[in-house]
Amino acid sequence: MAHEKHEKSAKNNEKSPEKSMEKSNGAQPKRKAMIMETVLRDAHQSLFATRMRTSDMIPILEAMDEVGYHSLEAWGGATFDACMRFLDECPWERLRTIRKHVKKTKLQMLLRGQNLLGYRHYADDAVREFVKATVGNGIDILRVFDALNDLRNMEVAADQVKKEGAHLQMCISYTLSPVHTLDAFADMAHKMAQMGADSIAIKDMAGLLSPVDCAKLVKAIKAKIDLPIQLHAHYTSGMGSMTYYAGLEAGASVVDTAISPLAMGTSQPPTESLVASLAGGELDTGIDLEKLIPVAEHFKKVREKYSHLITDVGVDINILRYQIPGGMYSNMVSQLKELNAADRLEDVMKEIPVVRKAMGYPPLVTPTSQMVGTQATFNVVSGQRWKNMSKEVKQYFLGYYGTPPAPLDAEVQKIAIGDEKPITCRPGEKIESEMEKARNDASAWALQPEDALSWLMYPQVAKEFLPKKYARITQRDTGLNELVDESAYPA
């Protein structure tokens, strides 16, 4: 078990009176705020549906490498799917290309624990193979999270990250509920340290973390463990930059920002503003604003290229009013319009806390935010609670997504699963090994070992993408390419 394997090293990360005393009596080391730039991943995922191409990145990568960022978030999240599905690009080739141009700065990625970069849990052998390939292709820091904050769903990925010698950043999905207290989050961070975490990320998907609460949370975690804390927020509520400043003052080390043309709205706070705000103080980032100007100029052009995909939401006050992510709110508005029930929005908003309580207060992040929002809509529109339930919600009540933060409502669970018995083990233990079959299925078109992982996570997408890539690279006619001048590959 990963918990046992890293228990010894984790003890070094726990706060001890002696360690704290030494720090207070001795000279304080100079603190410096550090920046992870999100423009290569989360910024464009948030603003224009992950459509940025590798060719849009290449011309500026070497200049970004000279800025002095703590890290560049370059991979993970939805980029893997979008590369194959929409851009006809190999995600593994994108990672290798970025690594080729970025020689000094660490590359970072977001990994959904046992879900990897897909939308279901995968077998343990697949999780280990994916982590090996990820580190082998150039990722230095892996941020591992789970939608339910179920540490069992991070266990295998975390263990393999440590075995590969990469930096393991374990991630708390921040949310608001009666059970998500400061003590609960601090205890979670302590357990993550015991699992071998090298740093802790606080991931605020909705922009709900206020400056006051952020300072309290950082201090609560720092009182339990002595690990670097990294903050991740979205600007949809308008609090992002203030929250970052409060968190840094309280002891956080790194914040996630986006270069200004791709900042704010549903993206992150702007890089340049934070660098300028901290300049000259004890948290000075050490980054020269002049080095950020060419980066901003480049991505200003990229933003213009994709402007047709960008909806400028500004500050969405509904996030603060209803305490839900902006994407979840907009999805429910769209669902109700399709059902000719737009006038029931207020009723659905009031139903969300009811549904969430019955489901054990899951954090509102993919995929649980979709489950909660859809179920609340069903309950209101049908006029009867729990009359209609999606397959995903039933699987959730059976335990196949993991253990929620609070107990499930027993009556609702009975409605959902009847006499079926829910699982209590780690969900990944129920999945048979998958890699051998994936390698066989992908073998006709695979040109690299990683293609089997692409096939496993997105089989329908890979069935179209891999043959096209095979034909393009080998110059062999697979019968899938359009003819140009009566030839699939004109001279």
Side-chain angles (χ1 to χ4, degrees):
M1 295 284 283
H3 293 276
E4 298 169 353
K5 179 177 178 62
H6 303 298
E7 186 176 357
K8 183 177 179 181
S9 63
K11 286 182 179 177
N12 296 326
N13 296 324
E14 296 177 14
K15 281 279 190 182
S16 67
E18 294 78 12
K19 194 168 187 179
S20 298
M21 189 76 71
E22 288 171 7
K23 286 192 173 182
S24 61
N25 291 337
Q28 289 284 347
K30 187 173 188 264
R31 284 191 65 208
K32 184 176 87 165
M34 293 178 281
I35 302 286
M36 184 187 84
E37 175 60 61
T38 68
V39 72
L40 303 179
R41 204 284 294 179
D42 200 19
H44 69 96
Q45 178 174 320
S46 299
L47 291 178
F48 48 90
T50 333
R51 296 300 199 275
M52 191 188 295
R53 294 183 171 276
T54 306
S55 58
D56 297 318
M57 306 173 186
I58 291 173
I60 198 64
L61 289 176
E62 291 176 15
M64 293 180 75
D65 197 22
E66 298 296 330
V67 167
Y69 291 116
H70 166 70
S71 60
L72 297 174
E73 189 190 32
W75 215 57
T79 58
F80 199 94
D81 179 15
C83 275
M84 294 190 294
R85 189 186 301 269
F86 302 115
L87 306 179
D88 196 26
E89 289 187 13
C90 173
W92 300 100
E93 185 57 35
R94 169 178 289 193
L95 174 55
R96 289 192 289 266
T97 298
I98 295 173
R99 181 79 281 173
K100 183 175 77 172
H101 291 277
V102 178
K103 295 181 170 62
K104 301 177 183 177
T105 312
K106 292 180 179 179
L107 297 183
Q108 187 158 341
M109 74 165 292
L110 180 68
L111 186 71
R112 302 177 187 137
Q114 202 79 20
N115 280 29
L116 298 177
L117 300 181
Y119 300 105
R120 67 170 177 86
H121 282 174
Y122 297 92
D124 291 350
D125 68 326
V127 174
R128 292 189 182 280
E129 196 63 30
F130 185 86
V131 171
K132 288 179 188 177
T134 296
V135 177
N137 279 279
I139 289 293
D140 301 295
I141 304 170
L142 287 88
R143 177 179 293 173
V144 182
F145 83 102
D146 176 68
L148 291 178
N149 284 325
D150 187 341
L151 298 182
R152 300 174 308 165
N153 291 335
M154 308 183 207
E155 189 175 276
V156 175
D159 183 61
Q160 195 61 42
V161 172
K162 298 299 289 187
K163 285 180 177 176
E164 297 304 311
H167 180 111
L168 171 62
Q169 182 172 95
M170 299 196 72
C171 182
I172 296 169
S173 295
Y174 179 80
T175 191
L176 298 171
S177 86
V179 299
H180 289 93
T181 63
L182 285 178
D183 286 342
F185 283 130
D187 286 344
M188 190 185 307
H190 184 258
K191 290 173 183 174
M192 288 174 169
Q194 290 179 318
M195 293 172 70
D198 297 300
S199 62
I200 303 294
I202 301 170
K203 179 177 168 64
D204 176 23
M205 309 76 61
L208 290 172
L209 182 58
S210 72
V212 172
D213 288 341
C214 183
K216 291 178 180 176
L217 179 55
V218 169
K219 288 176 181 177
I221 293 173
K222 280 291 189 180
K224 288 244 179 181
I225 59 172
D226 192 16
L227 290 177
I229 296 175
Q230 186 161 342
L231 303 176
H232 176 91
H234 291 256
Y235 214 84
T236 334
S237 67
M239 296 193 292
S241 293
M242 293 182 287
T243 295
Y244 279 179
Y245 186 77
L248 288 167
E249 286 273 292
S253 301
V254 191
V255 290
D256 298 0
T257 64
I259 200 74
S260 56
L262 268 67
M264 299 192 291
T266 51
S267 181
Q268 281 74 49
T271 303
E272 303 97 311
S273 302
L274 199 75
V275 167
S277 298
L278 299 174
E282 66 167 16
L283 295 171
D284 193 321
T285 63
I287 292 175
D288 184 351
L289 273 174
E290 291 297 317
K291 290 186 176 181
L292 293 172
I293 291 174
V295 180
E297 289 296 324
H298 174 82
F299 285 107
K300 184 179 180 182
K301 295 173 186 173
V302 172
R303 181 187 174 99
E304 290 170 358
K305 176 179 176 180
Y306 295 101
S307 59
H308 62 289
L309 296 173
I310 300 174
T311 301
D312 189 4
V313 297
V315 172
D316 189 347
I317 196 65
N318 289 302
I319 290 166
L320 299 176
R321 182 184 179 196
Y322 297 119
Q323 298 188 340
I324 63 170
M328 181 180 177
Y329 176 81
S330 58
N331 285 343
M332 284 185 294
V333 170
S334 299
Q335 281 182 346
L336 288 169
K337 284 180 180 177
E338 291 173 7
L339 295 168
N340 293 317
D343 60 324
R344 305 298 304 278
L345 178 62
E346 193 69 26
D347 294 330
V348 172
M349 291 297 134
K350 292 176 181 176
E351 185 67 13
I352 286 173
V354 176
V355 172
R356 201 165 169 230
K357 181 180 180 182
M359 295 178 67
Y361 292 109
L364 295 176
V365 61
T366 302
T368 51
S369 58
Q370 289 89 334
M371 291 186 209
V372 170
T374 300
Q375 190 60 52
T377 303
F378 283 167
N379 288 1
V380 168
V381 174
S382 70
Q384 183 179 340
R385 279 181 179 151
W386 313 108
K387 179 182 178 181
N388 300 313
M389 290 192 207
S390 67
K391 175 187 172 185
E392 289 78 14
V393 169
K394 291 178 180 178
Q395 290 290 101
Y396 178 94
F397 277 105
L398 280 167
Y400 284 99
Y401 285 87
T403 301
L408 298 168
D409 184 301
E411 291 183 15
V412 176
Q413 186 179 32
K414 178 71 173 176
I415 296 170
I417 68 175
D419 294 327
E420 286 190 71
K421 190 175 181 180
I423 67 169
T424 56
C425 64
R426 181 174 64 87
E429 294 174 15
K430 291 287 186 180
I431 307 172
E432 296 292 330
S433 298
E434 296 183 283
M435 283 310 301
E436 184 176 355
K437 183 178 185 301
R439 291 186 183 101
N440 290 335
D441 290 346
S443 60
W445 309 114
L447 294 171
Q448 57 184 352
E450 296 88 346
D451 287 338
L453 289 162
S454 302
W455 189 285
L456 174 65
M457 284 187 289
Y458 293 100
Q460 297 306 315
V461 177
K463 282 176 186 175
E464 292 189 16
F465 171 74
L466 289 180
K468 286 192 290 184
K469 187 183 86 161
Y470 180 90
R472 185 171 62 247
I473 292 175
T474 64
Q475 295 289 289
R476 294 178 185 174
D477 191 349
T478 60
L480 299 173
N481 292 65
E482 293 183 11
L483 297 184
V484 179
D485 295 334
E486 299 183 352
S487 171
Y489 304 98

